[in-house]
């Protein structure tokens, strides 16, 4: 099998690391990739939005399966285009991916099909939005409707913060057109859990759960990021609660797509808050989470190629997917200043060797003059496996401490909620 993975983040490196373990895989390409994917795949210098060039490449290189990592190409209709050309591809169509691309669409679907989520209102006029928050008070959550790389959400603790978020998104347009419309939501309290499932039509295979750490600093302080680290399993969340989430959120959502005439194929990711009233949806994504993938895929025992092909070819119901009992922890290392502005091109120094249970997943890295340098906000994610979360956590931090670049930042408390 010849596989093309589209993307250049940690998620794509983690997908490739798993694919590389499959005896069915003969060659992996990554477009455009990073310095880590280059170690296992051949990087191809085509951007994720260059649909026609990517399709051309897939045809010329006789690619058997293309796997789309990020949301942007999904929302640009990459899957629709490949399927027009009869090219096998893993990921949802543009229409299906709208569940991630428009928070308003996602909220309307949840409301229509009674899927538990927070109370909300949608605004296109900033004066009305301001009047609404002044009436509701804080804490309250302000979300840019469109894609904003995980940064379009402000959980405002004070009214002043809420007002500022509205003005920045709607009047100052810091997210461009993605913030012209905002969704304002009731603030939910509880622990967050990421629940991803392989979905094909009405067939669903839930993955093991994980927990991300969105805030940039220890103790969940500071602004939100794309994700500072993850672990799986999440032992403090009871199995019954997860089953409840699968039954009241994942299946009804898959059913809702069916009723709306939308064929969903790929990964459906539900970001959940486990509240006192049970699990509620914070957001849906139409792809693998990043850095959730870094801890979930290492626990997959079934050949990933078999799973992806079963989804792409509409045979998911025939497959029994197996997961290991091992624990995985991923600690993300970021550039200084992230999620604000940060420098690129800082040389990264790696230890000679890392333990056999650890893998250094690259995100924002590239090779420059024979050196590996930083090339993004989230630079690396060190993932370790172990028999317990404590063991995996200890192994991951052991390696993190040996990786050096100027101003490297990481949280020191990834997975600590599971251990306390
Ligand atoms: P989102 O991009 O919608 O996943 O939001 C990013 C992060 O903001 C989430 O992971 C939560 O930590 C936080 N968040 C979003 N919506 C809410 C909400 N309604 N209540 C509390 N926190 C939220
Ligand atoms: N880690 C959150 C996401 O992938 O959206």
């Amino acid at each position: 099998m010849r596989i093309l993975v589209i993307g250049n983040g940690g998620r794509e490196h983690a997908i490739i690391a798993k694919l590389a373990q499959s005896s069915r895989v003969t060659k992996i390409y990554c477009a455009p990739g990073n310095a880590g994917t280059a170690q296992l795949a051949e990087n191809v210098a085509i951007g994720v939005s260059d649909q026609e060039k990517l399709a051309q490449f897939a045809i010329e290189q006789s690619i058997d399966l293309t796997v789309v990592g990020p949301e942007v190409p999904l929302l640009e209709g990459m899957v629709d285009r490949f399927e027009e050309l009869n090219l096998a591809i893993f990921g949802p169509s543009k229409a299906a991916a709208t569940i991630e691309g428009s928070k308003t669409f996602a909220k309307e679907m949840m409301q229509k099909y009674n899927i538990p989520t927070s109370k909300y209102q949608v605004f296109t006029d900033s004066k009305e939005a301001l009047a609404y928050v002044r009436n509701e008070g804080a804490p309250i959550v302000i979300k840019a409707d469109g894609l904003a790389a995980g940064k379009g959400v402000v959980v405002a603790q004070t009214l002043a913060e809420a007002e500022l978020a509205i003005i920045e998104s709607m009047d100052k347009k810091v997210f461009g057109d993605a913030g012209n419309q905002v969704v304002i939501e009731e603030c939910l309290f509880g622990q967050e859990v990421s629940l991803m499932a392989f979905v094909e039509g009405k067939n669903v295979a839930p993955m093991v759960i994980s927990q991300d750490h969105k805030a940039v600093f220890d103790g969940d302080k500071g602004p939100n990021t794309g994700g500072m680290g993850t672990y799986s399993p999440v032992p403090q969340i009871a199995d019954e609660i997860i089953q409840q989430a699968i039954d009241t959120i994942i299946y009804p959502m898959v059913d809702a797509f069916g009723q709306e005439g939308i064929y969903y194929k790929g990964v459906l990711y539900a970001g959940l808050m486990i509240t006192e009233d049970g699990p509620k949806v914070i957001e849906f994504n139409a792809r693998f989470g990043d850095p959730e993938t870094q801890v979930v895929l290492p626990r997959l025992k079934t050949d990933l190629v078999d799973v992806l092909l079963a989804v792409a070819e509409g045979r998911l119901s025939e497959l029994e997917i197996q997961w290991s009992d091992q624990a995985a922890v991923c600690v993300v290392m970021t550039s200084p200043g992230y999620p604000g502005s940060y420098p690129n091109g800082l040389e990264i120094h790696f230890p000679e060797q890392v333990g056999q249970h650890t893998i250094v997943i690259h995100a924002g890295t590239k090779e420059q003059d024979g050196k590996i340098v930083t090339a993004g906000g989230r630079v690396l994610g060190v993932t370790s496996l172990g028999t317990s979360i404590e063991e995996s956590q200890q192994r991951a931090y052991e390696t993190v401490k040996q990786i050096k670049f100027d101003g490297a930042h990481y949280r020191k408390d990834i997975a600590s909620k599971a251990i306390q």
Side-chain angles (χ1 to χ4, degrees), residues 327-330 357-359 382-386 391-393 395-396 399:
V329 173
C330 171
H357 303 285
T358 296
I359 169 169
V382 176
T383 300
S384 294
L385 282 166
E391 187 176 58
S392 307
Q393 185 196 45
R395 284 175 172 162
T399 297

Side-chain angles (χ1 to χ4, degrees), residues 209-211 213 230-236 299 325-330 384-397 413-420:
I209 62 164
S210 55
Q211 187 173 64
H213 298 67
T230 40
Y231 62 99
S232 176
V234 188
Q236 70 275 32
R299 298 188 56 208
D325 295 333
Q326 281 189 300
V329 173
C330 171
S384 294
L385 282 166
T387 52
S388 65
I389 291 185
E390 287 92 329
E391 187 176 58
S392 307
Q393 185 196 45
Q394 192 205 330
R395 284 175 172 162
Y397 278 111
D413 63 348
I414 301 301
S416 292
K417 283 195 195 96
I419 295 165
Q420 276 153 18

Side-chain angles (χ1 to χ4, degrees), residues 222-252:
N224 272 340
T225 67
M228 293 298 294
T230 40
Y231 62 99
S232 176
V234 188
Q236 70 275 32
I237 310 293
D239 290 348
E240 301 81 71
I241 300 283
I242 299 313
Q243 193 56 49
Q244 188 186 345
I246 292 169
D247 293 339
T248 63
I249 292 166
I250 300 292
Y251 278 104

